[in-house]
Amino acid sequence: GLEQGVGNGDFVILDYVAYLKDGTIFDNTKKRGKPLAFQVGKKQAIPGLEYGLGGMKAGEERRLFIPSKLGYGPRGVCLEGKGCLVPPDTDLVY
C-alpha cells in the first residue's frame, strides 16, 4: 500500500531534472511538460532510478546519485552524427 511507499510492480508518475556530474542538465520533465510514468520492476527506466524510488512516498523529493553502471553505462545516450546527450560511462544526478 501507499503507507509503505513505492515498491516493485507499482506504477509511478514523477517529475525530475537529470544532470551530468559536471552539472549539465540533460533532461527535465517539467520543462518538457510531460512527467515520466512507468511500472517499477519492468525495466522501463534506468535501474538507478528504479532503486532510488524504493520506499518513496507521494510528494516526497529525493536527490539520487546514480553510478554509470546503474544509468546508461558504456553505451551512454548518443545520436549518430549529433554527439552524446549522456556520454558513455557517466555518473548521473536526478
Side-chain angles (χ1 to χ4, degrees), residues 26-93:
F26 72 88
D27 195 9
N28 182 338
T29 60
K30 288 185 179 186
K31 190 172 182 182
R32 277 200 326 255
K34 184 177 180 185
L36 176 65
F38 67 95
Q39 186 175 9
V40 176
K42 299 293 184 182
K43 297 184 179 180
Q44 297 170 345
I46 59 172
L49 188 54
E50 288 200 0
Y51 296 148
L53 295 178
M56 196 168 180
K57 296 181 174 30
E60 183 180 343
E61 292 186 15
R62 290 184 180 174
R63 178 163 296 192
L64 306 177
F65 297 91
I66 301 174
S68 174
K69 68 181 182 179
L70 296 177
Y72 297 101
R75 73 181 188 279
V77 177
C78 301
L79 306 171
E80 192 172 324
K82 296 188 178 186
C84 295
L85 189 61
V86 177
D89 300 312
T90 299
D91 297 336
L92 309 171
V93 179

